[in-house]
């Protein structure tokens, strides 16, 4: 029986247990058991390598001493604990001890950093884990299946563990909103390949929303592929210190930790179980910045009101993907650091906070490439079209000017393979499909000089667009500034007049001044209103440059009857109509105001 079939049969066993209710609990149950099984087999390897190795687990709680089947007097393997005893053991001994596992004090002389880290990992993994099973018979049946099918000393089994994760992750999609943690392996591998973290430069890699660890395992594989016969033992050991992840939810965090163990990360203490967005804006320090970020932040979700309250005013939002982008740009990425982020179409064409974030991205980073993915890449969990954004953090500029690091943005529209109209569970996106992008990519060091436009690739001269928009908007903004300055002069005169009647008791004298104040207030308010209109007129000419929802100009436009695409087009058309109406109103109001001003003069 293959691993995927084993997992399915284990879940079928759990369905018979009265204590396990639904996919989420079945997955939670299976995952902590899988972790202990994997950890025990990794411990066997560590013991072989180092005779002095001491387990962080009490002897009675190690998988081999309570769960693993052992030969009986007849030579046949049998459970170590009776069905009547095992549930009590798990609930009353195993879980309480692991949840409160005592973490030793670090001692330089004892050189016990590894032990301290392993204790922390295990305690963190079981912090929110639960045993849901009530039937000892069913629990023993699950253990028997795990014992039969999973032997991680067998490298073929390790290579096929991806099948187990595919099964678990597909099931996660049906277990509430946890599907946001799944990214196809072809995408994770391609993004890691293009970001290209360098082992020789000891470049750190982070996924701040790491889920089950797909991007991190892709980065580990990419770093390991750089090891040659000339590499040192230190090169091999270094990989563990270069990988960092943060995950908010318990089940994906547990899966990620297990995934790291399977990928040879002996102490996955750098996989933190906490909410990245819940960390205070000013709590992030410079030494937490990394060289590379590869991530698919959950989009479409919202944090509660207690999260993100200390973000800068212009970046305040509760939408998760937007919050992650603000953090990546401002707090997580080193100068000259590289990032690849999966984002939906809504980020590309969105305005408001999304427009502000895109301006920040283009100012502080070189957004050099956007890979536009077709629909269905993340099917069936979502049909939303997504994009892969690749950017590099620019060097800091402190001359007070509004400097942009992005001049040119390249787009590449990833096509379906021949004969495909969409992707599906049986026809997922494959890594070899990205070979044309890899061949076309070029090198950022020469500003991608080798890139050429083709039927899928095109570029946008963002610098020219920006300069033209700024030139068109500048007169309106200058007019707005002038009007506001005139209003400020009047406001100062109002304050002077108010000061002049302090302590004045003569009613007629006070009334005369207050009448003058009312006239000036009306005039000031009129100027402020005109200034707002002028500012808005300039903004309408400027902010559309941050709409990055670019269509392929080299591809014949096909008429789509897809409801989602038609709705997007309809909304876009309504926005263009509204923008035109507002522009006409503004220009008409401006013309009329000049007309009446001339008449009054």
């Amino acid at each position: 029986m293959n691993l995927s079939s084993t997992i399915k049969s284990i879940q079928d066993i759990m369905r018979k247990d009265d204590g396990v209710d639904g996919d989420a609990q079945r997955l939670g149950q299976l995952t902590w058991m899988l972790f202990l099984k994997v950890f025990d087999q990794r411990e066997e390897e560590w013991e072989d390598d180092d005779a002095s190795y001491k387990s962080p687990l009490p002897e009675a709680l190690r998988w081999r001493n309570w769960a693993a089947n052992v030969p009986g007097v007849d030579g046949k393997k049998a459970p170590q604990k009776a069905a009547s005893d095992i549930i009590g053991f798990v609930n009353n001994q195993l879980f309480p001890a692991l949840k409160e596992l005592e973490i030793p004090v670090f001692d330089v002389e004892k050189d016990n950093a590894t032990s301290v880290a392993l204790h922390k990992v295990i305690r963190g993994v079981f912090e929110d884990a639960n045993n849901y099973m009530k039937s000892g018979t069913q629990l023993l049946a699950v253990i028997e299946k795990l014992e039969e099918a999973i032997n991680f000393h067998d490298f073929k089994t390790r290579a096929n563990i991806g099948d187990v994760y595919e099964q678990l992750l597909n099931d996660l999609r049906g277990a509430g909103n946890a599907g946001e943690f799944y990214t196809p392996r072809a995408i994770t591998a391609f993004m890691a390949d293009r970001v290209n973290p360098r082992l020789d430069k000891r470049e750190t890699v982070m996924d701040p929303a790491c889920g089950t660890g797909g991007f991190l395992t892709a980065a580990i594989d990419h770093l390991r592929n750089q090891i040659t016969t000339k590499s040192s033992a230190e090169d091999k050991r270094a990989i563990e210190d270069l990988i960092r992840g943060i995950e908010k939810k318990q089940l994906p965090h547990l899966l990620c930790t297990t995934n790291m163990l399977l990928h040879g990360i002996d102490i996955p203490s750098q996989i933190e179980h906490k909410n990245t967005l819940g960390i205070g804006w000013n709590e992030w320090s410079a030494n937490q910045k990394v060289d590379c970020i590869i991530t698919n932040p959950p989009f479409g979700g919202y944090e509660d009101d207690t999260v993100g309250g200390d973000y800068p005013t212009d970046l305040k939002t509760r939408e998760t993907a937007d919050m992650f982008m603000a953090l990546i740009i401002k707090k997580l990425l080193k100068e000259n650091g590289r990032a690849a982020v999966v984002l939906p179409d809504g980020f590309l064409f969105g305005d408001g906070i999304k427009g502000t974030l895109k301006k920040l991205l283009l100012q502080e980073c070189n957004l050099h490439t956007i890979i536009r993915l077709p629909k269905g890449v993340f099917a069936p969990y979502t049909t939303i079209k997504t994009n892969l954004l690749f950017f590099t953090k620019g060097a800091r500029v402190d001359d007070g000017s509004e400097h942009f690091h992005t001049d040119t943005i390249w787009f590449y529209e990833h096509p379906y393979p021949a004969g495909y109209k969409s992707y599906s569970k049986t026809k997922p996106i494959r890594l070899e499909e990205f070979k044309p992008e890899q061949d076309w990519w070029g090198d950022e060091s020469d500003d991608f000089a080798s890139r050429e436009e083709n039927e899928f690739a095109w570029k946008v001269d963002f610098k020219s667009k920006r300069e033209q928009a700024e030139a068109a908007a500048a007169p309106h903004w200058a007019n707005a500034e002038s009007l506001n300055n005139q209003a400020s002069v009047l406001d100062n005169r109002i304050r002077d007049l108010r000061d002049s009647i302090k302590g004045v008791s003569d009613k007629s004298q006070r009334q005369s001044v207050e009448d003058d104040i009312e006239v000036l207030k009306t005039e000031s308010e009129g100027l402020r209103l005109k200034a707002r209109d002028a500012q808005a007129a300039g903004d309408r000419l400027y902010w559309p440059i941050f709409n990055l929802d670019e269509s392929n100009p080299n591809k014949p436009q096909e008429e789509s009857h897809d409801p989602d695409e038609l709705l997007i087009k309809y909304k876009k058309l309504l926005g263009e109509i509204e923008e035109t109406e507002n522009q006409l109103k503004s220009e008409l109001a401006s013309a009329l105001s000049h007309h009446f001003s001339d008449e009054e003069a």
Side-chain angles (χ1 to χ4, degrees):
M1 184 183 290
N2 64 35
L3 290 176
S4 184
S5 298
T6 298
I7 298 301
K8 188 177 184 304
S9 65
I10 286 174
Q11 290 176 309
D12 288 339
I13 293 169
M14 289 183 188
R15 287 187 176 92
K16 301 174 186 176
D17 192 294
D18 293 338
V20 189
D21 183 17
D23 284 338
Q25 289 189 0
R26 278 190 286 275
L27 289 168
Q29 181 78 25
L30 174 58
T31 305
W32 71 255
M33 296 177 73
L34 185 63
F35 171 83
L36 288 178
K37 167 73 173 171
V38 171
F39 187 78
D40 192 65
Q41 293 199 327
R42 288 306 313 276
E43 283 198 297
E44 289 178 18
E45 295 176 9
W46 300 334
E47 287 165 344
D48 289 341
D49 294 338
D50 181 2
S52 65
Y53 172 80
K54 180 174 174 54
S55 176
L57 295 172
E59 280 300 311
L61 305 184
R62 301 176 77 177
W63 178 272
R64 66 188 70 174
N65 295 327
W66 69 270
N69 291 339
V70 295
V73 290
D74 58 358
K76 294 181 179 179
K77 286 192 174 183
Q80 296 186 56
K81 293 191 177 293
S84 57
D85 297 332
I86 195 164
I87 297 297
F89 168 79
V90 169
N91 289 342
N92 302 323
Q93 295 180 52
L94 180 71
F95 265 77
L98 296 187
K99 285 176 181 283
E100 298 298 327
L101 190 65
E102 186 175 349
I103 299 171
V105 177
F106 173 67
D107 190 324
V108 176
E109 291 183 4
K110 290 181 179 178
D111 190 24
N112 66 338
T114 299
S115 177
V116 171
L118 281 175
H119 279 78
K120 287 182 177 179
V121 167
I122 294 167
R123 182 164 172 169
V125 159
F126 281 88
E127 185 178 21
D128 295 319
N130 291 289
N131 173 53
Y132 297 104
M133 296 187 77
K134 292 182 177 180
S135 166
T137 302
Q138 305 300 350
L139 181 57
L140 289 176
V142 170
I143 290 172
E144 184 178 5
K145 290 288 183 186
L146 286 173
E147 286 288 287
E148 286 176 358
I150 297 182
N151 174 17
F152 293 106
H153 299 316
D154 177 358
F155 284 96
K156 183 178 178 182
T157 303
R158 282 199 188 188
N160 292 336
I161 193 62
D163 295 338
V164 174
Y165 271 77
E166 293 290 344
Q167 184 73 37
L168 291 174
L169 292 166
N170 281 324
D171 289 340
L172 270 172
R173 294 172 179 175
N177 62 355
E180 65 203 27
F181 298 102
Y182 176 72
T183 306
R185 278 185 283 175
I187 302 290
T188 62
F190 172 69
M191 291 170 69
D193 176 67
R194 293 299 88 191
V195 171
N196 189 25
R198 294 275 299 274
L199 179 59
D200 59 345
K201 293 185 176 180
R202 297 295 190 261
E203 291 186 324
T204 47
V205 185
M206 172 190 265
D207 183 350
C210 68
T212 55
F215 283 106
L216 298 180
T217 56
I220 291 168
D221 291 341
H222 184 80
L223 290 166
R224 287 219 172 104
N225 286 337
Q226 297 170 44
I227 293 176
T228 67
T229 53
K230 296 180 180 178
S231 298
S232 66
E234 180 55 37
D235 285 333
K236 297 173 184 176
R237 285 194 298 269
I239 294 175
E240 184 163 313
D241 296 328
L242 300 178
I243 301 297
R244 300 172 191 175
I246 305 176
E247 175 48 46
K248 174 182 178 180
K249 296 187 177 181
Q250 182 268 336
L251 180 55
H253 173 261
L254 178 47
L255 278 167
C256 185
T257 304
T258 310
N259 208 357
M260 293 297 103
L261 286 169
L262 290 170
H263 279 76
I265 303 299
D266 294 344
I267 310 172
S269 56
Q270 61 276 67
I271 309 302
E272 299 181 81
H273 181 200
K274 59 186 178 183
N275 184 3
T276 305
L277 302 179
I279 300 170
W281 184 262
N282 293 319
E283 290 178 33
W284 293 100
S285 62
N287 61 11
Q288 289 175 289
K289 292 185 176 184
V290 295
D291 300 292
C292 302
I293 289 176
I294 316 173
T295 187
N296 178 6
F299 46 81
Y302 291 86
E303 292 290 326
D304 61 43
D305 292 337
T306 61
V307 175
D310 61 344
Y311 276 42
T313 303
D314 60 334
L315 298 179
K316 277 189 179 178
T317 176
R318 290 176 55 232
E319 206 281 324
T320 49
D322 291 346
M323 294 179 76
F324 273 107
M325 280 301 288
L327 273 181
I328 290 168
I329 299 166
K330 296 296 292 184
K331 296 293 183 178
L332 302 183
L333 203 57
K334 284 182 181 178
E335 189 174 294
N336 298 317
R338 306 178 303 284
V341 184
V342 182
L343 288 169
D345 273 4
F347 181 84
L348 296 190
F349 62 73
D351 51 19
I353 182 64
K354 286 179 170 57
T356 302
L357 279 168
K358 284 179 284 188
K359 180 180 179 182
L360 181 69
L361 173 62
L362 296 168
Q363 279 184 315
E364 300 209 2
C365 305
N366 177 24
L367 174 63
H368 54 78
T369 311
I370 298 177
I371 304 292
R372 307 219 64 177
L373 297 176
K375 288 183 65 174
V377 170
F378 292 88
Y381 119 76
T382 182
T383 58
I384 294 174
K385 288 184 70 174
T386 52
N387 308 271
L388 312 180
L389 275 64
F390 295 85
F391 52 93
T392 300
K393 182 72 178 284
R396 189 170 178 179
V397 178
D398 288 322
D399 61 4
S401 63
E402 194 172 73
H403 180 79
F404 281 78
H405 280 287
T406 300
D407 288 341
T408 302
I409 306 172
W410 281 91
F411 290 80
Y412 197 107
E413 185 174 55
H414 185 85
Y416 286 119
Y420 279 51
K421 291 188 177 179
S422 185
Y423 295 109
S424 65
K425 185 177 178 181
T426 56
K427 291 182 177 180
I429 193 168
R430 294 168 293 121
L431 179 58
E432 51 264 37
E433 291 178 38
F434 288 99
K435 183 68 165 56
E437 283 101 315
Q438 290 170 323
D439 292 341
W440 163 87
W441 198 268
D443 198 316
E444 189 175 1
S445 63
D446 63 7
D447 199 23
F448 301 102
S450 66
R451 287 183 176 179
E452 294 182 356
E453 294 199 33
N454 58 43
E455 61 177 316
F456 304 114
W458 69 100
K459 65 180 177 181
V460 170
D461 186 348
F462 176 74
K463 182 179 180 181
S464 293
K465 282 181 68 173
R466 174 174 56 82
E467 288 174 346
Q468 290 168 12
E470 287 173 344
H476 298 281
W477 290 339
N479 187 29
E481 184 177 9
S482 174
L483 290 166
N484 276 322
N485 288 339
Q486 293 174 47
S488 295
V489 170
L490 296 179
D491 292 341
N492 289 333
R493 286 177 58 190
I494 290 170
R495 279 194 293 274
D496 291 342
L497 286 172
R498 285 201 175 109
D499 290 340
S500 71
I501 56 173
K502 283 181 179 178
V504 175
S505 57
D506 185 280
K507 287 185 179 181
S508 61
Q509 188 178 347
R510 288 184 64 87
Q511 187 61 51
S512 175
V513 173
E514 286 171 357
D515 289 343
D516 290 341
I517 289 174
E518 284 303 313
V519 171
L520 291 173
K521 276 178 65 179
T522 302
E523 192 175 345
S524 174
E525 288 168 0
L527 289 169
R528 297 283 186 199
L529 188 59
K530 288 179 182 179
R532 282 197 294 272
D533 288 342
Q535 180 69 37
D539 288 347
R540 282 193 293 273
L541 294 169
Y542 176 71
W543 282 95
I545 65 172
F546 299 108
N547 180 356
L548 305 180
D549 187 23
E550 295 280 345
S551 299
N552 184 355
N554 303 330
K555 177 183 176 183
Q557 292 298 310
E558 298 176 2
E559 188 61 35
S560 171
H561 300 287
D562 183 283
D564 292 336
E565 291 188 11
L566 289 172
L567 183 59
I568 290 171
K569 286 182 180 179
Y570 176 65
K571 288 181 177 178
K572 189 175 181 181
L573 182 60
L574 287 179
E576 289 172 354
I577 292 171
E578 183 180 4
E579 185 177 329
T580 303
E581 286 179 345
N582 289 334
Q583 195 168 349
L584 287 171
K585 286 178 185 176
S586 176
E587 290 175 1
L588 182 60
S590 178
L592 288 174
S593 66
H594 289 311
H595 173 71
F596 288 123
S597 297
D598 292 343
E599 283 190 349
E600 289 170 4

